[in-house]
Amino acid sequence: MSDSLELNRRSWDERASLHAASADYEVDRFIADPQHLSEVVRFDLPRLGDISGLRAVHLQCHIGTDTLSLARLGARMSGLDFSSQSLAQARVLAQRCDTSIDYVESDVYAADQVLTPGSFDLVYTGIGALIWLPSIDRWARTVAALLKPGGRLFLREGHPMLLAVNEDHQDRLVIEYPYFEREAPTVWDSDQTYVETDSALSHTVTHEWNHGLGEVVSALLRHGLQISALVEHDSIPWEALPGQMSKNAQGEWSLDKDRWRLPLSYTLQAIKQAI
């Protein structure tokens, strides 16, 4: 796992400046407009509800655009990420937007060692995060450790059914990758990131793990959280299946043909039970 963590960290360190400079992350718009929210958080709003005054932490926060958006909704935010370069970009953005956010460098599994356990009303995990973690059970343990009794987890993630589909078959849906969590990672080698950029990555190898929906739910239940909501969506914020999808005005991508065939993402909420 330590080798996988280091491989992935190098990749995210390299991506940070590219992402901050890209139009996709809208950094300039955040700076120009103090009311602007990320497309991800705007999608989450109907289910997220009023978070004003809540003590919240965004796990795997990357360059902090979603973290800043949550702060603009009134939450008192901390952000945690294992990439020092991502956090450097996040701190610059928060400073330029005159917003107080406490950013902490750590991998997710050590979050309750660098943040105060049992002190958060809300743990937020944004979309595209869980695939970088080898053990969903250890993630659930961390979430439970951070939350106050009665505190809430808010998770939106790519659907594990989508992540099992090989995107190279542009005329059909073909399941070729793991649906369930496996000890061995799926290994990718690409010099491209997911934003438009003329720069090629030098740290090209990354490791990912899928986690079945039942595995996520069961892990949270094991660690004392009660599932309060679970919604599957037919859209996702990136072009997950090139050649088969179109983007709507809200920045979400959906299948062009028969959208009912495949869930693309899901939102899960859970409450930490009082002891």
Side-chain angles (χ1 to χ4, degrees):
M1 174 189 160
S2 59
D3 291 342
S4 295
L5 186 70
E6 188 55 34
L7 279 173
N8 289 343
R9 191 202 319 273
R10 290 173 185 171
S11 177
W12 285 103
D13 277 348
E14 187 176 8
R15 295 181 199 208
S17 61
L18 302 179
H19 291 182
S22 75
D24 301 78
Y25 274 91
E26 302 183 310
V27 166
D28 290 341
R29 189 170 177 188
F30 275 101
I31 295 168
D33 180 3
Q35 303 302 315
H36 181 65
L37 304 176
S38 68
E39 288 180 343
V40 168
V41 170
R42 289 203 300 272
F43 182 93
D44 291 338
L45 274 175
R47 285 158 290 276
L48 191 60
D50 182 7
I51 61 171
S52 180
L54 297 185
R55 182 76 180 92
V57 58
H58 179 188
L59 300 180
Q60 298 167 270
C61 64
H62 190 37
I63 65 170
T65 50
D66 295 339
T67 325
L68 175 60
S69 299
L70 297 171
R72 287 179 168 180
L73 293 174
R76 295 177 288 123
M77 291 303 304
S78 294
L80 181 139
D81 203 275
F82 72 162
S83 164
S84 62
Q85 297 306 306
S86 294
L87 291 177
Q89 296 292 340
R91 291 184 179 110
V92 168
L93 177 60
Q95 183 179 30
R96 295 191 67 184
C97 294
D98 194 26
T99 303
S100 177
I101 299 174
D102 177 33
Y103 282 111
V104 179
E105 182 179 342
S106 172
D107 74 84
V108 170
Y109 298 143
D112 58 325
Q113 299 173 35
V114 297
L115 297 167
T116 304
S119 64
F120 292 95
D121 303 295
L122 175 69
V123 169
Y124 179 91
T125 296
I127 193 162
L130 295 188
I131 60 170
W132 303 100
L133 302 177
S135 167
I136 201 64
D137 188 78
R138 292 183 65 190
W139 168 81
R141 184 210 64 80
T142 301
V143 169
L146 291 172
L147 284 171
K148 299 176 180 178
R152 174 172 56 134
L153 164 70
F154 187 99
L155 164 70
R156 187 183 180 213
E157 185 53 281
H159 201 287
M161 198 67 243
L162 168 65
L163 301 177
V165 174
N166 186 339
E167 66 180 39
D168 293 336
H169 303 279
Q170 297 192 8
D171 59 341
R172 60 196 186 280
L173 303 178
V174 182
I175 298 171
E176 293 185 351
Y177 300 125
Y179 174 86
F180 296 109
E181 182 183 299
R182 301 177 68 198
E183 182 176 353
T186 301
V187 179
W188 303 99
D189 191 347
S190 172
D191 65 359
Q192 301 297 307
T193 185
Y194 53 81
V195 301
E196 291 188 16
T197 175
D198 295 329
S199 299
L201 299 175
S202 57
H203 298 292
T204 61
V205 177
T206 56
H207 289 182
E208 296 180 8
W209 297 263
N210 204 0
H211 310 286
L213 193 56
E215 293 175 328
V216 177
V217 169
S218 296
L220 291 168
L221 293 173
R222 275 195 302 273
H223 290 280
L225 277 74
Q226 180 178 352
I227 309 302
S228 58
L230 177 59
V231 182
E232 295 173 294
H233 309 290
D234 64 2
S235 69
I236 198 164
W238 65 85
E239 190 180 8
L241 299 171
Q244 300 191 62
M245 309 182 83
S246 296
K247 188 177 183 180
N248 64 25
Q250 288 71 47
E252 292 277 312
W253 293 80
S254 297
L255 290 173
D256 293 324
K257 180 182 177 182
D258 300 334
R259 291 170 60 169
W260 43 260
R261 290 182 295 161
L262 182 70
L264 301 182
S265 62
Y266 68 94
T267 299
L268 183 153
Q269 299 188 61
I271 306 297
K272 181 176 179 179
Q273 299 302 291
I275 299 174

